[in-house]
Amino acid sequence: MTSLGLSLAIRTLTRFPVPGRGEEAPEKSLFWFPFVGALLGLCSYGVASLPLAGTVRAALVLALTAYLTRAFHLDGLADFADGLGGGWTRERALEIMRDSHSGAFAVVTLIVVLLVQYSCLTIIVDALAPALILAPAIGRLMQVIAASFLPYARSGEGTASQLVRRATRRHSLLPLVQVLGTCLVLYLFFNEELALKALTALGCALLMSLVVMQVAKRRLGGVTGDVLGAVEVLGESAALLGFLLPLA
């Protein structure tokens, strides 16, 4: 929970030019993942405030998010889809995921997921703009949970190897408390309906992430950097859908 952990989280998850050196304990950055997601969400919130048509603002939010994150998570989702679609064995799937080329599974998956996000955003930018801040935070929380509960799938080193290998289940506790605490503050002091929608979004994201984690564990033996990217994108997409579900 140090400033070094925060700078590492920002450098890992965004293209923001934050100074810093290599971190000997990368797992400390996990505490800040939801916070960095909220920072990205604030940028999206600013774009959503522009005096443009809702469909245009939704497209700009997607474009800005992809730019600020270097499309890092989208690339992970694409590789994960190609690996699962083209690899019949664990070894072959991991090999495909390391290939820089994108196949049909990657392209189709990205198109479908981005269409879902865009459809949600066209409504959210007008009717529920705070979800633009909360959904990215929830998506990054899902990454923390995946890194904390699953082993690293590869035998050697990779993009997220040290992060995952050093993470323990307790590293997911405080990030989860951050998100739940935000929901509680919203409920008690600001907007009860938004707080309930945020809890619904959190539940949807958690359900989606558990499915992805189970698939990754069964097919790959754990997670990689690509899997963590897929968890974030799919978790955030599920959160956006959750915000739009009607409350009973």
Side-chain angles (χ1 to χ4, degrees), residues 162-183:
Q162 290 302 311
L163 179 69
V164 175
R165 286 178 177 142
R166 291 171 177 263
T168 62
R169 294 185 178 183
R170 66 181 177 82
H171 286 101
S172 65
L173 180 59
L174 288 179
L176 178 60
V177 169
Q178 287 181 54
V179 175
L180 290 176
T182 300
C183 294

Side-chain angles (χ1 to χ4, degrees), residues 98-178:
R98 270 196 164 151
D99 191 334
S100 60
H101 298 86
S102 294
F105 293 105
V107 173
V108 171
T109 299
L110 286 177
I111 290 173
V112 171
V113 170
L114 289 174
L115 278 174
V116 170
Q117 289 193 358
Y118 175 76
S119 300
C120 293
L121 289 171
T122 56
I123 301 172
I124 286 173
V125 292
D126 285 322
L128 202 62
L132 296 171
I133 301 171
L134 293 169
I138 292 173
R140 273 68 185 182
L141 171 62
M142 297 303 109
Q143 287 185 303
V144 176
I145 292 174
S148 301
F149 280 78
L150 290 181
Y152 191 66
R154 300 185 189 277
S155 57
E157 296 300 312
T159 305
S161 57
Q162 290 302 311
L163 179 69
V164 175
R165 286 178 177 142
R166 291 171 177 263
T168 62
R169 294 185 178 183
R170 66 181 177 82
H171 286 101
S172 65
L173 180 59
L174 288 179
L176 178 60
V177 169
Q178 287 181 54

Side-chain angles (χ1 to χ4, degrees), residues 50-136:
L50 295 174
L52 299 169
T55 52
V56 176
R57 284 178 283 143
L60 289 175
V61 166
L62 285 178
L64 178 67
T65 300
Y67 173 76
L68 292 179
T69 60
R70 306 184 304 275
F72 192 48
H73 305 320
L74 292 172
D75 179 66
L77 174 62
D79 289 340
F80 184 52
D82 269 344
L84 294 184
W88 295 103
T89 65
R90 172 181 178 273
E91 292 73 19
R92 179 56 180 157
L94 290 172
E95 180 183 352
I96 291 174
M97 289 167 62
R98 270 196 164 151
D99 191 334
S100 60
H101 298 86
S102 294
F105 293 105
V107 173
V108 171
T109 299
L110 286 177
I111 290 173
V112 171
V113 170
L114 289 174
L115 278 174
V116 170
Q117 289 193 358
Y118 175 76
S119 300
C120 293
L121 289 171
T122 56
I123 301 172
I124 286 173
V125 292
D126 285 322
L128 202 62
L132 296 171
I133 301 171
L134 293 169

Side-chain angles (χ1 to χ4, degrees), residues 23-43:
E23 175 66 73
E24 293 183 357
E27 69 277 8
K28 292 181 179 179
S29 68
L30 291 171
F31 171 80
W32 297 102
F33 272 38
F35 178 79
V36 174
L39 286 180
L40 291 167
L42 280 171
C43 297

